[in-house]
Amino acid sequence: MYKLTIRDNNNKLDEMYVSHDILKIGRNADNDIRLDDATVSSHHAEIWQRDNTVEIKDCGSTNGTYVNGNAITTHTLNDNDIVVIGKLTISYSSDRPAPLTEEIDPTTTISRGEMQHLLERIEQYKSGKSATTNVSRKLNWIVQDASGIWWGFELEPVIGETGWENPNNGMKILLKEEASNENWRDSLQKL
């Protein structure tokens, strides 16, 4: 597992831990990381994780792939390497998240600041302005329950006897609370 931090002119757009063996990067929607920028090729580059090494490979992109200022065809990534794809930079780190020491509830409560950031990203995504979209885990569905709480789901929820359920154990996040809603069964929205 390794960490990627994506920036546009030093503005952090996304940060993610990656465990995929192959990570595809490009402008098309079928990439694992979609960079919505005209300077990025439709299938620009791939990152391969093998044993204890992580390599980046340019996929014949129009504008090339650069690591630490040098054009590459393939390159073994080292901590703090800076990859440039189009106008965007991706920082590589072999940092791993701290292991969980206790079992946690898959329902997560987040701070007001994190909530604001999440809602801004949802609005960016809906308006087509998001630079990265296909990260390994993201909210794909939002829904309100009878008590007025809005929930975000990674996988499509289903109506259960007591509210919305998450049958495939994907990510579920408490978003915000509003007034109760008698029509909560009609509130499911795909992002």
Side-chain angles (χ1 to χ4, degrees), residues 67-68 75-83 90-93:
V67 177
N68 302 326
H75 176 83
T76 301
L77 291 170
N78 298 301
D79 275 337
N80 303 315
D81 275 352
I82 304 294
V83 177
I90 302 173
S91 304
Y92 167 82
S93 172

Side-chain angles (χ1 to χ4, degrees), residues 68-183:
N68 302 326
N70 300 309
I72 59 99
T73 337
T74 61
H75 176 83
T76 301
L77 291 170
N78 298 301
D79 275 337
N80 303 315
D81 275 352
I82 304 294
V83 177
V84 176
I85 294 179
K87 297 187 302 186
L88 304 168
T89 62
I90 302 173
S91 304
Y92 167 82
S93 172
S94 62
D95 288 345
R96 288 169 169 72
L100 296 175
T101 56
E102 61 184 67
E103 181 135 348
I104 59 170
D105 181 348
T107 302
T108 305
T109 303
I110 61 178
S111 72
R112 176 179 230 114
E114 291 170 314
M115 169 61 69
Q116 185 62 37
H117 177 71
L118 178 61
L119 293 173
E120 287 170 2
R121 287 194 57 199
I122 289 170
E123 287 305 314
Q124 287 175 344
Y125 178 77
K126 288 166 75 175
S127 68
K129 295 179 183 171
S130 179
T132 59
T133 56
N134 294 337
V135 294
S136 58
R137 296 188 77 161
K138 65 179 183 177
L139 294 182
N140 295 306
W141 300 89
I142 57 172
V143 68
Q144 188 178 32
D145 65 20
S147 63
I149 297 175
W150 281 93
W151 296 95
F153 287 89
E154 175 185 20
L155 305 173
E156 184 174 5
V158 296
I159 296 176
E161 291 181 22
T162 59
W164 291 94
E165 296 178 359
N166 194 1
N168 296 314
N169 294 326
M171 176 177 62
K172 176 183 179 184
I173 295 180
L174 186 150
L175 297 175
K176 63 181 176 178
E177 188 169 353
E178 292 181 347
S180 61
N181 180 5
E182 292 179 17
N183 299 321

Side-chain angles (χ1 to χ4, degrees), residues 4-8 11-16 23-29 31-37 40 85 88-90 117 120-122 124-126 128-139:
L4 298 177
T5 305
I6 302 170
R7 290 185 169 85
D8 182 7
N11 295 319
K12 187 182 346 180
L13 300 174
D14 211 341
E15 184 172 81
M16 66 195 78
L23 185 76
K24 297 178 182 183
I25 304 170
R27 197 175 63 241
N28 278 9
N31 290 288
D32 299 304
I33 298 179
R34 180 174 178 257
L35 301 175
D36 189 14
D37 185 278
V40 176
I85 294 179
L88 304 168
T89 62
I90 302 173
H117 177 71
E120 287 170 2
R121 287 194 57 199
I122 289 170
Q124 287 175 344
Y125 178 77
K126 288 166 75 175
K129 295 179 183 171
S130 179
T132 59
T133 56
N134 294 337
V135 294
S136 58
R137 296 188 77 161
K138 65 179 183 177
L139 294 182

